[in-house]
Amino acid sequence: MESLEGRVALVTGGGRGIGRAIALALARAGAHVAVAARTVPEIEAVAAEVAALGRRTYFFPLDLSDREMVAAAPAKVAAALGTVEILVNNAGVDAAEPVHALTDATWDMVLAVNLTGPALLTRACLSGMYDRVWGRVINVSSVAGKIGLKYGSAYAASKHGLIGLTRSLALEGARKGVTANAICPSWTETQMMDDAVEQVALHTQRTEAEARKAILRGNPTGRAALPEEVADVAVLLAASPILTGQSIHVDGGEVMA
């Protein structure tokens, strides 16, 4: 494993949940961390936590569906901290619509944030990584990137695409010092899970406790992952020069493929 001391990381969707946990884990491992998301108070708070760990930090608003904001992001981080060396594409959105009722607006929104935005941001960061012959791209996909998702076709398609992007980049960057990997969580203790529990309870007349149990019924461990458990994998991938092209499940054995 390689040291991350002094490396510069950018984490999208860094204001809460998995993104926050990854930002703090990278800071503990020695990296300086930029955090970006649409909700400024949240990323400001995470940046303060990074600073409290003794690392340099920077926060800025970023909407991955806005191509101009995406294109400008690497230069902003470079001016504040240095060239992006570790890129964590974590920001994502979900939407529940059956295929026959899937709207153009839902499809375009989900693909823009979950796939096109990460692809364009990665492209914008690659020249700096290639120049240094060192870089790590970590894409937070999902087990829905490996299997179908009932009523979640846009989300599943975007996460499948993110894994395809990861594998292609791994091949291109292998002789240039750049690795690319995907993390595939299942249910994780985040706002997204809380929202899902609330919706299931609402539409099935169950209590939230019953809805949570139903959601987790298919998981061998019987529980959701913690954001910090996903973050541990991100640090491993950032530190490893040999792990590349992989999509690593953090799902308690829910999907074995």
Side-chain angles (χ1 to χ4, degrees), residues 117-184:
L120 297 180
L121 183 55
T122 299
R123 183 182 69 183
C125 291
L126 276 179
S127 60
M129 294 180 182
Y130 285 165
D131 287 346
R132 284 165 170 69
V133 198
W134 200 98
R136 304 286 185 263
V137 178
I138 301 168
N139 294 321
V140 179
S141 181
S142 166
V143 293
K146 295 292 192 67
I147 60 175
L149 184 62
K150 191 175 184 180
Y151 306 128
S153 58
Y155 184 80
S158 70
K159 295 301 188 178
H160 274 74
L162 196 57
I163 291 174
L165 173 67
T166 300
R167 290 170 173 165
S168 295
L169 177 56
L171 293 173
E172 294 179 17
R175 300 294 180 92
K176 299 176 181 178
V178 174
T179 68
N181 292 283
I183 303 176
C184 298

Side-chain angles (χ1 to χ4, degrees), residues 24-91:
L24 296 178
L26 289 172
R28 292 188 190 98
H32 306 303
V33 184
V35 288
R38 290 179 295 184
T39 307
V40 172
E42 291 181 346
I43 54 176
E44 183 177 17
V46 173
E49 291 183 276
V50 171
L53 292 170
R55 305 300 172 188
R56 292 190 294 120
T57 187
Y58 174 64
F59 68 91
F60 64 102
L62 178 63
D63 181 347
L64 285 175
S65 67
D66 185 320
R67 293 190 177 210
E68 290 185 2
M69 293 182 76
V70 170
K76 288 184 175 182
V77 178
L81 302 177
T83 300
V84 175
E85 297 167 295
I86 302 167
L87 172 62
V88 181
N89 286 309
N90 168 72

